Amino acid sequence: MAPPKNERAFEANSSIVLVGCRGAGKRTLGFMGALHLRRRLVTEEHYFEKTTGLSRGEYLARHGREAFARQDIEVFKRMLDSNRTGCIIECGMSSLTGEAQDALRQYSSTNPVVYIHREKEQIARHLDAADLQQLLKADERHRSCSNFEYYNLYDPPNKSGGHISGTSSGASTPLNGRQSGPSKLLSAREDFTRFLDIVTGRGATKAWLESPFSVSSVPPEFRSYSYALRLRLSYLMDMDLEWEDFEARGDCVEFIIDHWPDDLMNVIARQIALIRRKLGIPIIYHVEENPRGERRRTPEEKDAMDADLLELGLRLGVDYISLDLQRHDEFVNRVLRHRGRSKIIGNFWYMGFGALAWQDDRQMENYKRAQGLGCEVVRMVRFCTNDSPAELLEGFKKRLQQEVPDPKPPLVAYDFSVLGVRTPLQSRILNPVKHPDMENERDHLATVSTYYHSYELLFRQFLLDPLQFYVLGSHVSYSLSPAMHSAAYDFCGMPHTFQDVTCSTIDRLNQICLSDSFGGASLTAPFKVAIMPHLKVKSHHATAIGAVNVLLPLRGKTSAILDHANSRNKAGPAREFFGDNTDWSSILTCLRRAISPRNFVQPSKTTGLVVGAGGMARAAIYALIQLGCRNIFIYNRTAPNANQVAQHFNDWAATQGIVGTKGGSHEICRVLPSLSEPWPRAYQPPTMVISCVPATSANGSAPADFEMPLDWLRSPTGGVVVELAYEPLVTPLVAQMHAVRDHMSPSWVVVDGLEVVAEMAIEAFELMTGRMAPKRLMKEVCRKTWEQQQQQQRQGSEMAMSSY
Ligand SMILES: O=C1C[C@@](O)(C(=O)O)C[C@@H](O)[C@@H]1O
């Protein structure tokens, strides 16, 4: 049976329309979205004024209500019509009228129309109490004229200094109690830009092209092993764990709607937004047929309500929709027609006694039907007593391999009993798992296994191998990486080890890397640049920067990258290696997290300053370029080295068509020859400063002791200072910025070296193992280990003093 046509497959460049009530945050999101997608922002208000020469208020006052209404709808339609591609369109109050909604409904057959809504209390802050109820009621009508929905979760200013936000965790509190203070609206920006990547379909492709070994570039159904963390709505509404506790507990979340609280649609939208913000992993959206506490429904009632609930999942742009293929064709077809970019998991669940046996031909027919309908994954699950030996399922999988033509959608298949899934490894992908501390007596399917146990079992059954990982370089005995990575292995049930090995020759590095049990290495000086000519495969970023700090063995049996990615955590000979750079991405994450909305990068204005000219300075420059900064200054004590780095990036930028925004030469990097130079008057003072020089003496040279000349510190909107050194943690620059913040300008944010180094280890762990890192844990271990090292050093020097 051929699948019905997908009616929500839009061209990637189609303009995206934002509708919703006042106070929902459309303007801010529109602005962020336009920057992210590099599109033009069209606002209804501005368009009206541009078209009629009058503001809406003026027009109303001058021409009266009726003429205004006529003009308003006409301008509204013209705005949509003349901006069909390449824009983000923010609708104002007009979208509350019936005629405008009809126009939107029609527009939504070719373009994404996103209904933006949020917590009522947040909207109430922008409205009179009298208007509120009426407006909120009218606002719900936006659902019927849109085809996407975005819940704009409140983004509170960070008080504790430690929150998880999507793929990257927030800042922890530095030891002196000062916080770097992640920027307000950071999570909103991350959430919304990720949502837009889903709507436009550019997310996965981008991740894959840029860093094919990153966790997000291999979808869970294509990993060698993957696990779905089951989270029920009934549990989430009243959970006794914190969101942070769910970090790195599954490759994706299966969100199960098993309960219908009041205001169900909005509750679901909010929970999806929370899962995205807090865990940042793909979501499988599953609607349970018999929700708890509800009366038995007729089949017609079931179909109508469940189709609406599934439709909501599609509108929210979830990654996977779990679709029961045993439901009526009409029901199945409606979901398939509206699937958009969500992947379909075609389900055949046999829940009661008398489930079809694996050897029954109808099972094979079921699989083929799902394949014919274009399902991206097929999930076949059987309830059994205890009469189903493992060989039967294995036999089914073998038969399927032989009988069904390619391309075959990945299969999830397992038996479960009243005690849960019978053995956790029946299915290779999307096995159900639970959190170890989660009490949920209703969830038979997940009562047995946790992510930790399932993974540990893979190693115990020799499906995966214990490996050795390293940090390699000439000064690594101080490295915090071994403690962070080891803690993460323990957390994840991986028997790997991570050691620091001091070495400085390529021969020695080779010796280590050629071992069959070599898992990967973090590289530091002198290898970051020296290794480049020895690597056959490098990420696009590493090539641009000219430096590598993460090395992975390539053990795939074919040359396909996916095959190599799926050979991680396995031993064996490796003749080729892959190099990536997480220095730049960690700096970028820290900058993004700390930069205030007032200082969001504007290519034509924003200025960045990088101090230093080594490998890390290169990564910092690249991070600034990736953020959109086109005016970058380099200061280094030895100016010729800075000239060389500037030259490298100016040459590279020219090949990419990236140009500076000021001066005749269009160069993006310039060198500041001395600290006594005044800040060049043609440029704004920097709002992003990244210091990449040691604060203690290294290799016999004097410590850099860098501080910002006061003339360079005149940004009226403050900015961010990222200090990469953490020996000592309060470097002269950090101390200076704390003083500036206390006495001159509180809008400077300081990111210390431990925050960046923890981020580097987190990203390296994910590349090396292919699994999400337990970020909060790694950050805690980073600070604790550093404190212990400091204490040991203090004790050491006290002992040395007393022996005099
Ligand atoms: O600079 C750093 C920190 C590091 O050297 C460490 O010790 O953790 C590891 C390197 O890969 C990274 O580039």
Side-chain angles (χ1 to χ4, degrees):
M1 190 217 264
K5 183 168 176 289
N6 185 353
E7 293 170 8
R8 284 175 68 250
F10 307 111
E11 295 290 328
N13 195 32
S14 323
S15 292
I16 298 172
V17 183
L18 310 182
V19 296
C21 141
R22 212 166 73 219
K26 290 177 308 233
R27 175 70 54 87
T28 313
L29 295 176
F31 189 63
M32 292 171 177
L35 270 179
H36 176 68
L37 296 177
R38 293 177 208 254
R39 292 190 180 188
R40 202 155 50 82
L41 178 65
V42 177
T43 68
E44 187 183 313
E45 225 171 84
H46 185 250
Y47 193 84
F48 188 95
E49 199 163 333
K50 205 176 75 183
T51 318
T52 64
L54 294 175
S55 73
R56 293 157 62 91
E58 284 164 353
Y59 198 99
L60 182 66
R62 199 174 294 177
H63 299 285
R65 195 168 279 278
E66 230 170 84
F68 170 73
R70 252 182 287 122
Q71 181 68 2
D72 195 31
I73 184 68
E74 198 180 301
V75 173
F76 184 83
K77 286 182 183 167
R78 204 179 318 154
M79 171 180 77
L80 296 182
D81 225 38
S82 54
N83 292 297
R84 288 200 167 262
T85 56
C87 302
I88 302 268
I89 304 175
E90 185 229 346
C91 294
M93 293 297 277
S94 312
S95 70
L96 286 171
T97 67
E99 221 176 320
Q101 291 188 355
D102 287 343
L104 284 168
R105 214 165 281 125
Q106 206 173 19
Y107 204 68
S108 69
S109 63
T110 53
N111 288 61
V113 177
V114 186
Y115 167 39
I116 310 267
H117 59 123
R118 69 191 318 180
E119 284 95 346
K120 290 191 176 59
E121 308 77 63
Q122 295 307 319
I123 290 188
R125 289 171 44 188
H126 301 263
L127 297 171
D128 296 341
D131 295 344
L132 184 65
Q133 286 317 323
Q134 221 182 344
L135 202 62
L136 287 177
K137 212 155 162 236
D139 180 45
E140 293 255 341
R141 284 208 305 272
H142 282 127
R143 258 207 182 103
S144 72
C145 61
S146 56
N147 50 17
F148 278 99
E149 186 159 332
Y150 178 78
Y151 194 93
N152 184 13
L153 211 53
Y154 177 52
D155 196 358
N158 189 305
K159 290 216 183 70
S160 66
H163 75 271
I164 300 182
S165 66
T167 47
S168 55
S169 305
S172 13
T173 311
L175 295 175
N176 58 7
R178 290 167 194 268
Q179 289 169 16
S180 63
S183 122
K184 200 167 165 272
L185 292 184
L186 167 80
S187 306
R189 183 157 36 112
E190 281 191 352
D191 295 349
F192 191 60
T193 52
R194 216 174 310 138
F195 178 76
L196 290 179
D197 285 347
I198 293 172
V199 172
T200 55
R202 64 180 221 150
T205 333
K206 199 165 149 247
W208 170 259
L209 287 177
E210 291 190 350
S211 181
F213 288 86
S214 65
V215 179
S216 53
S217 71
V218 185
E221 71 274 23
F222 292 120
R223 297 185 193 165
S224 31
Y225 300 95
S226 61
Y227 299 89
L229 174 68
R230 288 166 64 84
L231 293 178
R232 293 178 164 270
L233 178 60
S234 58
Y235 174 81
L236 292 177
M237 297 276 301
D238 196 19
M239 69 177 174
D240 44 12
L241 289 170
E242 293 185 8
W243 277 108
E244 283 83 347
D245 296 327
F246 289 103
E247 196 172 59
R249 300 283 189 187
D251 296 284
C252 55
V253 162
E254 176 141 18
F255 174 63
I256 302 163
I257 298 157
D258 65 331
H259 166 54
W260 295 355
D262 290 345
D263 202 17
L264 177 61
M265 297 293 178
N266 292 332
V267 168
I268 291 174
R270 182 164 186 276
Q271 289 298 337
I272 293 281
L274 275 167
I275 297 173
R276 283 191 169 137
R277 175 173 296 181
K278 304 290 186 175
L279 304 181
I281 50 179
I283 299 176
I284 302 174
Y285 182 96
H286 179 82
V287 173
E288 208 156 81
E289 217 179 313
N290 297 309
R292 68 171 20 178
E294 296 298 323
R295 65 176 171 77
R296 284 222 157 269
R297 300 174 293 159
T298 64
E300 291 72 32
E301 276 179 315
K302 261 189 200 174
D303 278 0
M305 179 65 179
D306 295 358
D308 282 350
L309 287 171
L310 287 172
E311 184 97 36
L312 176 64
L314 293 169
R315 291 165 52 80
L316 291 164
V318 295
D319 306 84
Y320 303 87
I321 284 278
S322 162
L323 174 62
D324 181 357
L325 296 183
Q326 288 162 305
R327 303 283 285 254
H328 294 139
D329 283 352
E330 204 183 309
F331 176 91
V332 168
N333 282 340
R334 173 169 164 194
V335 176
L336 293 177
R337 273 190 281 112
H338 296 175
R339 60 194 295 181
R341 294 186 194 277
S342 297
K343 297 185 199 174
I344 304 287
I345 301 186
N347 287 321
F348 289 96
W349 300 82
Y350 289 101
M351 302 298 282
F353 292 101
L356 283 190
W358 291 115
Q359 62 276 36
D360 191 312
D361 283 346
R362 281 172 291 174
Q363 291 280 31
M364 191 60 74
E365 290 313 312
N366 284 344
Y367 179 87
K368 287 185 188 159
R369 173 151 177 261
Q371 182 192 38
L373 288 173
C375 296
E376 277 84 357
V377 179
V378 185
R379 181 157 59 172
M380 309 178 79
V381 177
R382 290 177 72 248
F383 174 80
C384 65
T385 39
N386 54 5
D387 59 345
S388 182
E391 301 82 76
L392 294 180
L393 175 54
E394 287 312 307
F396 173 70
K397 289 185 197 164
K398 232 184 243 151
R399 217 183 120 197
L400 196 136
Q401 279 308 320
Q402 289 160 357
E403 286 181 23
V404 182
D406 284 332
K408 288 192 261 299
L411 172 72
V412 183
Y414 51 84
D415 287 320
F416 75 99
S417 73
V418 280
L419 297 175
V421 176
R422 295 183 349 141
T423 61
L425 298 182
Q426 289 179 81
S427 182
R428 212 175 40 72
I429 53 161
L430 301 180
N431 271 290
V433 288
K434 66 160 203 152
H435 187 284
D437 301 333
M438 210 166 122
E439 294 302 332
N440 200 340
E441 70 288 354
R442 278 195 98 228
D443 200 354
H444 300 310
L445 278 180
T447 45
V448 175
S449 199
T450 61
Y451 199 32
Y452 174 92
H453 280 121
S454 308
Y455 228 76
E456 198 194 26
L457 199 63
L458 291 171
F459 287 95
R460 273 200 275 123
Q461 296 194 344
F462 307 108
L463 291 164
L464 298 178
D465 304 307
L467 300 175
Q468 279 127 29
F469 293 83
Y470 302 89
V471 51
L472 305 173
S474 49
H475 296 281
V476 288
S477 55
Y478 63 87
S479 175
L480 300 167
S481 280
M484 286 189 273
H485 284 257
S486 303
Y489 299 148
D490 287 348
F491 180 92
C492 295
M494 296 171 160
H496 301 320
T497 60
F498 195 107
Q499 305 159 43
D500 54 276
V501 174
T502 302
C503 60
S504 49
T505 63
I506 290 280
D507 281 351
R508 175 74 182 113
L509 181 112
N510 238 332
Q511 233 175 14
I512 294 171
C513 299
L514 286 176
S515 151
D516 280 4
S517 57
F518 171 70
S522 288
L523 301 180
T524 171
F527 295 124
K528 286 185 181 182
V529 179
I531 191 80
M532 293 292 282
H534 303 271
L535 293 175
K536 185 144 179 220
V537 200
K538 288 167 284 230
S539 77
H540 158 89
H541 303 298
T543 309
I545 297 168
V548 149
N549 78 315
V550 174
L551 189 65
L552 301 181
L554 296 178
R555 295 209 168 94
K557 297 216 165 40
T558 68
S559 59
I561 292 283
L562 181 63
D563 196 12
H564 290 310
N566 278 338
S567 303
R568 284 176 288 189
N569 302 298
K570 284 186 190 158
R575 295 269 158 262
E576 281 172 5
F577 296 87
F578 170 77
D580 207 337
N581 189 306
T582 62
D583 289 342
W584 82 272
S585 46
S586 313
I587 295 172
L588 177 108
T589 303
C590 292
L591 279 172
R592 268 208 188 127
R593 195 183 285 154
I595 204 153
S596 67
R598 290 182 74 190
N599 287 326
F600 280 174
V601 173
Q602 288 179 277
S604 60
K605 293 191 183 147
T606 308
T607 307
L609 168 67
V610 173
V611 183
M616 204 56 102
R618 284 171 176 250
I621 294 168
Y622 189 70
L624 288 174
I625 297 175
Q626 290 296 321
L627 267 179
C629 183
R630 297 291 175 260
N631 306 300
I632 300 167
F633 286 87
I634 310 172
Y635 168 73
N636 189 49
R637 207 153 42 182
T638 318
N641 295 351
N643 287 328
Q644 228 176 15
V645 174
Q647 189 67 48
H648 169 89
F649 282 102
N650 287 333
D651 291 348
W652 174 80
T655 64
Q656 307 291 310
I658 300 175
V659 290
T661 55
K662 295 236 165 62
S665 69
H666 297 308
E667 289 182 334
I668 56 169
C669 290
R670 283 172 189 76
V671 173
L672 293 166
S674 113
L675 291 177
S676 53
E677 292 272 313
W679 189 259
R681 289 296 168 236
Y683 295 86
Q684 290 191 348
T687 46
M688 294 183 286
V689 178
I690 309 163
S691 170
C692 311
V693 287
T696 42
S697 41
N699 306 329
S701 59
D705 280 348
F706 175 79
E707 281 188 29
M708 283 285 276
L710 287 184
D711 188 56
W712 298 8
L713 256 183
R714 287 180 300 103
S715 158
T717 52
V720 187
V721 167
V722 179
E723 171 62 274
L724 278 119
Y726 53 89
E727 283 291 347
L729 194 57
V730 182
T731 62
L733 175 63
V734 170
Q736 177 196 21
M737 293 314 298
H738 286 162
V740 167
R741 216 165 53 175
D742 292 347
H743 303 298
M744 282 164 57
S745 165
S747 41
W748 279 97
V749 175
V750 185
V751 178
D752 71 25
L754 289 183
E755 201 175 316
V756 193
V757 85
E759 199 58 46
M760 284 171 186
I762 285 168
E763 296 193 18
F765 173 89
E766 293 187 347
L767 282 178
M768 290 174 185
T769 63
R771 282 202 37 182
M772 291 290 279
K775 297 183 180 114
R776 181 177 58 168
L777 171 74
M778 290 178 80
K779 287 178 180 206
E780 278 167 14
V781 169
C782 178
R783 283 194 192 259
K784 272 198 198 120
T785 311
W786 183 86
E787 276 175 57
Q788 280 160 3
Q789 282 182 358
Q790 296 293 306
Q791 205 176 356
Q792 278 160 10
Q793 273 173 19
R794 271 197 304 273
Q795 283 165 353
S797 46
E798 273 165 25
M799 273 165 60
M801 292 285 281
S802 63
S803 65
Y804 265 109

